[in-house]
Amino acid sequence: MLAIIGGSGLTQLASLDVSRSEVVRTPYGEPSGTLMFGRLGRCPVVFIARHGYGHTIPPHRVNYRANIWALKSVGADRVISVASVGGIRADLGPGMLVVPHQIIDYTWGRKTTFHEGLDQPVVHIDFTEPYDEDLRGQILGAARAAGKAVSDRAVYAATQGPRLETAAEIDRLERDGADIVGMTGMPEAALAREAELPYAAIAVVANYAAGRADSAHAIHFESIEAVLHESMKRVRHLIEHLCGAAA
């Protein structure tokens, strides 16, 4: 069963044939919301809205552990994250779809492991390649089949939020090698690895990052909603092709 974590702009899957919903209790507290079960074609899917179905949970308050634990507990065997990001690299402008291959984590204060407490052994995971290559390949193959242009390599910088970054901070991220910037990539990816769930992301560039192109002096929030509305249609189409290939 494919798990889809929807971010800003994707709080529901219109094409999902919903069969049931379930409130899942976890040892780590409440997930972001009810899990929605259904099918895309012949592909079983479980969906959760990362920020809640009313988009009320800011990035630093998302219960990433509960979300991943809940998806694992109901039988998900792979996870696709959908998230909006800012474009740092010049060719990654608003509306671009990106399948990142690396992460740099700048977040702090978030619960980053399932294994903590004096009564539990420390667990180390290999995180050299934070995204599952097979699942990334499936997404890229589905994009080709759907005729959707996708950038297949990018370094995702995960920042704390909920405020956007300063232009100087974006300059620093670029020097560090980041191509896109978002607020939810970590610890979600690391927790999925701990849970032994293959994990990959589809990032939607909602705007240029601070200090770049038309965001040189300010982020224009009024245009972001329209960009996400159109871009998420392509994301849904891409996922439908992925499910068709998987079926």
Side-chain angles (χ1 to χ4, degrees):
M1 180 167 58
L2 171 66
I4 299 171
I5 302 175
S8 299
L10 190 69
T11 56
Q12 60 182 346
L13 277 176
S15 51
L16 180 65
D17 182 14
V18 177
S19 59
R20 66 186 178 93
S21 61
E22 182 178 342
V23 176
V24 177
R25 308 299 180 190
T26 87
Y28 305 99
E30 298 293 321
S32 293
T34 302
L35 303 189
M36 308 298 293
F37 295 82
R39 306 188 78 84
L40 284 175
R42 290 174 291 165
C43 179
V45 170
V46 57
F47 177 86
I48 187 170
R50 182 187 290 113
H51 299 286
Y53 290 95
H55 203 272
T56 57
I57 308 172
H60 66 296
R61 297 297 299 273
V62 171
N63 193 336
Y64 297 96
R65 293 195 300 182
N67 288 350
I68 294 296
W69 193 96
L71 294 173
K72 175 82 171 183
S73 72
V74 299
D77 58 14
R78 60 201 190 282
V79 178
I80 292 178
S81 159
V82 180
S84 62
V85 298
I88 299 175
R89 207 171 73 205
D91 62 316
L92 298 181
M96 282 290 298
L97 303 186
V98 184
V99 181
H101 72 290
Q102 278 292 336
I103 294 178
I104 306 174
D105 186 10
Y106 300 93
T107 65
W108 52 270
R110 303 183 183 190
K111 298 291 188 179
T112 60
T113 179
F114 293 110
H115 308 282
E116 63 180 8
L118 298 178
D119 59 337
Q120 294 192 49
V122 175
V123 173
H124 299 285
I125 56 169
D126 174 43
F127 210 47
T128 306
E129 303 291 340
Y131 298 105
D132 183 80
E133 278 302 309
D134 288 341
L135 189 52
R136 286 187 73 254
Q138 292 174 36
I139 294 171
L140 294 169
R144 288 190 292 270
K148 306 300 180 185
V150 172
S151 178
D152 67 352
R153 289 182 69 82
V155 176
Y156 178 114
T159 58
Q160 181 70 358
R163 69 165 178 84
L164 300 185
E165 301 75 28
T166 69
E169 287 169 334
I170 294 299
D171 289 343
R172 175 205 174 185
L173 300 185
E174 185 173 40
R175 289 193 299 270
D176 286 351
D179 301 302
I180 54 178
V181 57
M183 302 174 189
T184 58
M186 287 293 287
E188 192 173 87
L191 291 166
R193 181 63 54 85
E194 277 197 354
E196 299 182 338
L197 284 172
Y199 176 96
I202 302 172
V204 178
V205 181
N207 55 276
Y208 277 109
R212 302 294 182 272
D214 61 1
S215 298
H217 301 290
I219 304 295
H220 303 287
F221 288 99
E222 64 276 7
S223 63
I224 290 177
E225 184 175 350
V227 170
L228 289 178
H229 180 74
E230 290 303 316
S231 300
M232 289 303 173
K233 292 179 183 177
R234 289 183 283 129
V235 170
R236 294 187 189 98
H237 195 204
L238 191 163
I239 293 173
E240 289 166 7
H241 272 74
L242 175 69
C243 285

